[in-house]
Amino acid sequence: GESVGLHLPTLSVQEGDNSIINCAYSNSASDYFIWYKQESGKGPQFIIDIRSNMDKRQGQRVTVLLNKTVKHLSLQIAATQPGDSAVYFCAENRNAGASKIIFGSGTRLSIRP
Amino acid sequence: DAGVIQSPRHEVTEMGQEVTLRCKPISGHNSLFWYRQTMMRGLELLIYFNNNVPIDDSGMPEDRFSAKMPNASFSTLKIQPSEPRDSAVYFCASSFEGRNSPLHFGNGTRLTVT
């Protein structure tokens, strides 16, 4: 069936380095993608989004890249900090007529001091 | 902005009991979503509403689950009767316009059914 999945379930990064979290999606009709961060005991928190008519979008310390050819999404975090430790989810909007946001399985990012 | 408010934060109940989870979306948001999170299945969309009307409930696992949105500022998710496999964290989220707008999540209700 269709799914949104992640290549790596866990990622360990040295503090100060850049982090790259990857996501593969299978629904070519999806036209809106979002990255969320979830800390322990909290709900997912919006980080950045991108529409399918773009291939790159930048925020504060974060960049999302979208490659529609291979159905791949990535989140880049610059100068990773201890506060970036969390589980990161990619999500996609699969319903062209409304909002059906489906989440991937998540990647845990841990920061080494 | 108080954010999405869910209650209770924790619920422990015995199998067979009725459970009601509550959600107050962000004022002005017109779409509301219920998700369930478990280690095995991740974040699953159960149902979502647009302008208080249920749009897609295909994620609701069984007839034991029901959701209502009587007005723009309140929604409930009810499980009757509850079973141990319903144990999970249930999240409510809301968004403005609903289409290509990010969801804002509450902090969830952790449900334990013994």
Side-chain angles (χ1 to χ4, degrees):
Chain A
E2 295 176 311
S3 65
V4 177
L6 293 170
H7 294 168
L8 297 173
T10 59
L11 179 65
S12 179
V13 176
Q14 189 78 32
E15 182 178 350
D17 287 352
N18 296 336
S19 301
I20 300 176
I21 302 172
N22 296 302
C23 177
Y25 66 95
S26 57
N27 189 338
S28 58
S30 295
D31 62 354
Y32 177 59
F33 304 88
I34 319 106
W35 280 101
Y36 284 89
K37 172 186 180 182
Q38 187 177 25
E39 297 173 290
S40 180
K42 296 184 179 180
Q45 178 185 7
F46 170 80
I47 301 173
I48 192 169
D49 58 3
I50 189 168
R51 289 167 173 72
S52 59
N53 60 353
M54 302 171 68
D55 54 19
K56 181 179 180 179
R57 191 166 187 218
Q58 288 184 294
Q60 186 177 13
R61 281 202 309 120
V62 295
T63 301
V64 55
L65 299 177
L66 175 62
N67 185 331
K68 295 181 288 294
T69 301
V70 296
K71 300 191 191 70
H72 185 267
L73 193 68
S74 69
L75 176 70
Q76 300 178 1
I77 304 173
T80 310
Q81 303 169 357
D84 295 327
S85 293
V87 176
Y88 290 81
F89 294 94
C90 66
E92 63 179 318
N93 187 331
R94 291 188 177 180
N95 188 332
S99 287
K100 187 168 184 173
I101 307 294
I102 304 299
F103 281 76
S105 56
T107 293
R108 181 173 298 281
L109 178 64
S110 64
I111 313 303
R112 302 191 304 272
Chain B
D1 183 357
V4 175
I5 300 174
Q6 292 187 246
S7 64
R9 283 284 278 146
H10 302 275
E11 177 79 34
V12 180
T13 190
E14 292 183 345
M15 181 174 62
Q17 297 297 307
E18 177 180 296
V19 174
T20 299
L21 310 181
R22 297 172 175 80
C23 175
K24 182 182 186 327
I26 292 173
S27 178
H29 282 187
N30 63 350
S31 291
L32 183 139
F33 304 75
W34 282 101
Y35 285 84
R36 177 172 68 177
Q37 187 174 39
T38 61
M39 289 295 292
M40 291 296 294
R41 301 173 70 90
L43 268 164
E44 301 174 276
L45 176 63
L46 301 178
I47 185 172
Y48 72 92
F49 297 82
N50 193 35
N51 294 321
N52 312 339
V53 176
I55 302 301
D56 188 332
D57 66 352
S58 59
M60 296 287 262
E62 300 173 29
D63 291 345
R64 298 184 296 107
F65 286 69
S66 62
K68 294 182 179 179
M69 192 165 186
N71 56 63
S73 59
F74 184 66
S75 177
T76 59
L77 178 67
K78 185 176 295 186
I79 309 172
Q80 166 65 19
S82 59
E83 296 182 3
R85 59 190 168 128
D86 301 330
S87 297
V89 180
Y90 291 81
F91 287 102
C92 176
S94 69
S95 69
F96 178 64
E97 295 184 351
R99 176 64 185 150
N100 285 354
S101 297
L103 306 183
H104 298 263
F105 282 79
N107 282 327
T109 295
R110 180 175 293 278
L111 173 64
T112 303
V113 183
T114 60

